[in-house]
Amino acid sequence: QEQLVESGGGLVQPGGSLRVSCAVSGRTMSAYSMGWFRRAPGKEREFVAAISRSSGSTYYAESVKDRFTISRDDAKNTMDLQMNSLKPEDTAVYYCASSWYGTTQITPEKYHAWGQGTQVTVSS
């Protein structure tokens, strides 16, 4: 079973940018599709973005589309989420996850491994 560790979270002002990363170990990341989810205070975990294996096809939640960019580097077993034009509503713990399905998945049940999360706070 693989392990996932997020990093790069922190405090950023509204309108600013931040990049969070996910490092995978124990398995070759290229075998899986990958995704980012987030949990805001008082809310359920929600889908943010996903990227497929091999082709690198991506899919985004409407709330982040055109602001966030998901990417992967299979040679390094890492995945990134570049977040631009951040809003206070983006404040949440961000989780990376891997999926056996290979294609982009938007529901948590489709992911088999999760990181511990990294806090992103958007505030002035």
Side-chain angles (χ1 to χ4, degrees):
Q1 182 72 288
E2 66 268 39
Q3 290 79 47
L4 292 76
V5 179
E6 301 93 341
S7 63
L11 175 65
V12 62
Q13 294 185 338
S17 299
L18 195 67
R19 174 173 289 188
V20 291
S21 299
C22 176
V24 178
S25 62
R27 290 284 194 277
T28 300
M29 196 188 76
S30 62
Y32 311 114
S33 61
M34 304 291 295
W36 286 97
F37 289 77
R38 66 187 182 187
R39 186 189 296 275
K43 295 185 176 181
E44 296 182 352
R45 179 171 48 184
E46 67 173 351
F47 169 78
V48 176
I51 184 166
S52 68
R53 61 170 292 180
S54 300
S55 68
S57 298
T58 59
Y59 187 81
Y60 299 90
E62 286 297 320
S63 60
V64 306
K65 190 175 181 62
D66 299 323
R67 297 190 298 121
F68 291 10
T69 302
I70 187 172
S71 62
R72 64 190 296 161
D73 187 338
D74 290 331
K76 298 183 181 298
N77 268 11
T78 59
M79 176 183 65
D80 293 339
L81 182 69
Q82 177 65 46
M83 302 180 287
N84 299 325
S85 301
L86 283 162
K87 307 174 181 179
E89 304 92 275
D90 295 317
T91 295
V93 176
Y94 283 72
Y95 301 89
C96 65
S98 59
S99 173
W100 289 312
Y101 283 80
T103 54
T104 54
Q105 304 296 323
I106 65 173
T107 60
E109 285 192 342
K110 301 298 185 179
Y111 292 83
H112 65 273
W114 295 80
Q116 293 297 307
T118 186
Q119 177 71 49
V120 173
T121 302
V122 184
S123 176
S124 60

